[in-house]
């Protein structure tokens, strides 16, 4: 979810509905000296700015309906669908509030806020599922968020942006840095999976405990790498990430101002107001996510859809819907650096921050959350990262490359649709052999 100066994008790209309809005037709450009138007027202003920040907010009507459905004990299908639709606009509002808060607090703090709230929907859903002991939901949701960003979103960006053009160019240094980090993240899943297969054949009865120890240590290392990446992006090598985004942000601001016919737009939210909006939306997401996760068991049983498919395909689409649209829109404006930052940057947050955090959280609360994903899921993740690395290494993209990524995602979605929850992995030697052969090529 893009934020100003953060890992995933630039606030200038957000051209809200409000910016197209405002005129050059002083907000009414600033002209009011009476406190008992000023506060309601400012509350109205905050509500107006927030609700008009994105067209998808029309779906907010499903928030109270979904909560009532869960509270009143409606059928699992109704609860799931209603809260599924409710989380879409809440995710967009979470992104908007984070952008507003980051814009007022500077680049460094903005980057940290983005790291915290950039994937808040997936994080909240996963925390609730982790507390309930739904480890498979947590793991599939994390993997699904990564795959939906690097295959579905990036594929849509390449296809929509490249259609009708010979090719589109982007910063190879930034793209290669992100893809290298994704390769490190894939290694963090391959090693526990292969080690588990080896230990499973040994006489050691503590294989599960050994995998937990490996996962805890690996998670701490990944968190350290992510902190170093933040410093690399926001500090030591900020110029590599800042140059393109500043130019794109300036152009977007000029375009939004041109649409409104003015250059002085109605101000956004103050830090306190943005913080309050962030708190309220986070609570709403938590409530809707609780009902959503609570209905998954019944949905899986009655509709014959595996929990893995729900967590890997459906939940990530909900949580990332707002930034999916943002990435596609900016790619159609030939701003591929920003589109790649949104797509791959969000995947990096999931792989290097959110997933390790959940492993550590499981360690704290006594849930056996590990980095040991099923073998099939691990291989799918590795192959997806490999395909993306091949396609972005030349610094150019076209619609055919986008079609390749979309086709890969659809194949994976179909495979997981028929993938049973109780499936187990294959032995280690074929995995190691296949990966070694791919790397040699």
């Amino acid at each position: 979810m893009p934020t100003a100066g953060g890992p995933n994008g630039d606030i200038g790209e957000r051209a809200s509905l409000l910016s197209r309809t405002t005129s050059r005037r002083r907000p009414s709450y600033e002209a009011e000296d009476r406190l008992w009138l000023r506060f309601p007027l400012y509350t109205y202003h905050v509500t107006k700015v927030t609700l008009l920040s994105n067209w998808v907010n029309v779906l907010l009507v499903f928030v109270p309906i979904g909560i009532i459905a869960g509270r009143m004990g409606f059928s699992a299908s109704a609860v799931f669908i209603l809260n599924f639709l409710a989380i879409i606009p809440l995710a967009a509002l979470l992104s908007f509030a984070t952008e507003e808060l980051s814009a007022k607090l500077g680049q460094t703090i903005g980057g940290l806020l983005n790291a915290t709230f950039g994937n808040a929907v997936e994080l909240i859903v996963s925390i609730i599922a982790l507390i309930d002991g739904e480890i498979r939901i947590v793991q599939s949701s994390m993997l699904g968020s990564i795959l939906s960003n690097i295959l579905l979103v990036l594929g849509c960006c390449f296809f929509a942006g490249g259609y009708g053009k010979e090719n589109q160019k982007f910063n190879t240094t930034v793209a290669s840095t992100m893809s290298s980090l994704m390769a490190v993240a894939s290694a963090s899943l391959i090693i526990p999976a292969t080690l588990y297969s080896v230990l499973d054949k040994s006489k050691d009865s503590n294989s599960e405990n050994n995998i937990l120890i490996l996962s805890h240590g690996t998670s701490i290392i990944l968190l350290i790498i992510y902190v170093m990446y933040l410093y690399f992006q926001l500090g030591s090598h900020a110029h590599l990430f800042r140059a393109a985004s500043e130019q794109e942000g300036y152009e977007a601001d000029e375009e939004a101002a041109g649409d409104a016919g003015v250059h002085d737009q109605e101000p956004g939210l103050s830090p306190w107001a943005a913080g309050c909006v962030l708190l309220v939306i986070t609570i709403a997401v938590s409530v809707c996510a609780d009902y959503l996760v609570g209905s998954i068991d019944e949905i899986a049983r009655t509709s014959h859809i595996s929990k893995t498919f729900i967590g890997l395909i459906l939940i990530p689409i909900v949580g990332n819907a707002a930034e999916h649209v943002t990435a596609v829109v900016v790619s159609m404006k030939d701003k591929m650096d920003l589109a790649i930052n949104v797509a791959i940057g969000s995947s990096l947050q999931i792989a290097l921050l959110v997933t390790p955090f959940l492993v550590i959280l499981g360690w704290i609360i006594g849930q056996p959350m590990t980095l040991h994903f099923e073998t099939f899921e691990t291989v799918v993740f590795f192959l997806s990262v490999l395909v993306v690395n091949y396609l972005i290494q030349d610094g150019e993209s076209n619609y055919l490359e986008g079609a390749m990524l979309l086709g890969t995602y659809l194949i994976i979605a179909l495979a997981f649709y028929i993938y049973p929850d109780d499936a187990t992995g294959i032995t280690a030697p074929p995995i190691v052999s296949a990966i070694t052969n791919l790397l040699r090529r």
Side-chain angles (χ1 to χ4, degrees):
M1 298 177 182
T3 64
N8 285 350
D10 191 295
I11 191 173
E13 191 51 48
R14 179 181 54 79
S16 67
L17 296 177
L18 179 69
S19 65
R20 304 190 186 103
T21 58
T22 55
S23 60
R24 176 178 285 186
R25 59 184 174 81
R26 189 182 181 189
S28 57
Y29 68 87
E30 289 187 1
E32 181 57 59
D33 296 328
R34 290 168 293 183
L35 183 61
W36 62 278
L37 280 179
R38 185 184 178 97
F39 181 76
L41 288 173
Y42 184 66
T43 303
Y44 168 76
H45 165 75
V46 170
T47 305
K48 175 184 174 184
V49 171
T50 302
L51 293 180
L52 293 181
S53 62
N54 198 310
W55 61 269
V56 80
N57 291 340
V58 297
L59 296 177
L60 284 172
V61 65
F62 288 105
V63 174
I65 297 177
I67 294 174
I68 292 173
R71 187 69 177 175
M72 299 294 292
F74 286 17
S75 67
S77 299
V79 173
F80 182 87
I81 293 173
L82 291 173
N83 285 282
F84 185 91
L85 294 173
I87 290 178
I88 295 176
L90 291 176
L93 288 179
L94 215 59
S95 175
F96 165 73
T98 306
E99 290 171 356
E100 291 291 321
L101 193 58
S102 300
K104 307 297 190 302
L105 298 181
Q107 181 185 16
T108 303
I109 298 179
L112 295 175
L113 280 173
N114 182 77
T116 305
F117 293 100
N119 292 284
V121 172
E122 295 94 327
L123 182 60
I124 292 171
V125 171
S126 297
I127 288 176
I128 293 173
L130 183 62
I131 294 173
D132 292 343
E134 297 282 1
I135 306 297
R136 293 292 299 140
I137 295 294
V138 178
Q139 290 182 329
S140 58
S141 176
M142 294 298 98
L143 181 60
S145 294
I146 297 173
L147 295 179
S148 69
N149 277 292
I150 65 175
L151 295 178
L152 178 61
V153 180
L154 198 60
C156 288
C157 290
F158 284 179
F159 187 86
Y163 188 78
K165 305 182 183 72
E166 183 175 351
N167 56 56
Q168 292 180 296
K169 299 182 183 296
F170 48 85
N171 189 324
T172 54
T173 303
V174 174
S176 63
T177 300
M178 290 183 169
S179 61
S180 299
L181 286 169
M182 287 303 301
V184 172
S186 66
S188 71
L189 299 189
I190 293 172
I191 292 172
T194 52
L195 179 62
Y196 181 83
S197 298
V198 173
L199 292 177
D200 195 43
K201 291 186 173 182
S202 72
K203 297 179 180 180
D204 188 358
S205 60
N206 294 323
S207 58
E208 293 286 349
N209 186 56
N210 291 334
I211 293 298
L212 272 174
I213 294 173
L214 174 63
S215 298
H216 296 160
T218 302
S219 297
I220 294 173
I221 294 171
L222 290 178
L223 289 173
I224 294 173
I225 291 176
Y226 187 76
V227 171
M228 295 179 66
Y229 167 64
L230 281 182
Y231 177 71
F232 180 87
Q233 185 181 46
L234 303 176
S236 63
H237 291 69
H239 61 281
L240 296 176
F241 296 83
R242 189 184 301 132
S245 62
E246 283 182 350
Q247 180 181 359
E248 290 167 357
Y250 173 79
E251 291 172 354
D253 287 339
E254 289 297 312
E255 181 179 337
D259 290 339
V262 293
H263 290 278
D264 291 332
Q265 299 173 8
E266 187 169 341
L269 306 182
S270 68
W272 281 106
C276 290
V277 171
L278 200 60
L279 178 62
V280 171
I281 299 303
T282 301
I283 293 173
V285 170
S286 301
V287 175
C288 292
D290 188 29
Y291 289 124
L292 181 74
V293 172
S295 64
I296 288 178
D297 280 333
E298 185 66 24
I299 286 289
R301 184 166 52 252
T302 58
S303 62
H304 305 291
I305 299 176
S306 67
K307 294 182 183 180
T308 304
F309 180 79
I310 294 174
L312 196 137
I313 303 297
L314 298 182
I315 292 179
I317 291 177
V318 174
N320 296 318
E323 63 186 16
H324 289 188
V325 175
T326 299
V328 173
V329 169
V330 299
S331 68
M332 294 176 68
K333 297 178 180 179
D334 208 22
K335 300 174 181 178
M336 292 305 297
D337 284 320
L338 183 55
I340 288 177
N341 279 340
V342 171
I344 302 183
S346 182
S347 299
L348 283 178
Q349 286 184 352
I350 293 292
L352 300 181
L353 176 67
V354 178
T355 303
F357 169 78
L358 289 171
V359 173
I360 301 299
L361 180 62
W363 187 9
I364 294 172
I365 65 177
Q367 291 288 356
M369 172 68 184
T370 71
L371 293 176
H372 169 227
F373 288 58
E374 293 298 334
T375 302
F376 178 66
E377 298 169 4
T378 305
V379 172
V380 164
F381 180 39
F382 172 77
L383 293 176
S384 300
V385 173
L386 193 67
V387 169
V388 172
N389 285 355
Y390 277 140
L391 292 182
I392 68 176
Q393 65 184 357
D394 61 350
E396 296 181 355
S397 64
N398 53 60
Y399 73 91
L400 180 59
E401 292 181 347
M404 293 178 190
L405 293 175
L406 291 174
T408 304
Y409 184 79
L410 292 175
I411 292 171
I412 292 173
L414 181 60
F416 277 106
Y417 181 76
I418 60 176
Y419 182 80
D421 286 324
D422 58 353
T424 57
I426 58 177
T427 57
I431 303 175
V432 177
S433 177
I435 292 174
T436 302
N437 291 334
L438 283 169
L439 290 175
R440 285 176 179 173
R441 297 176 186 175

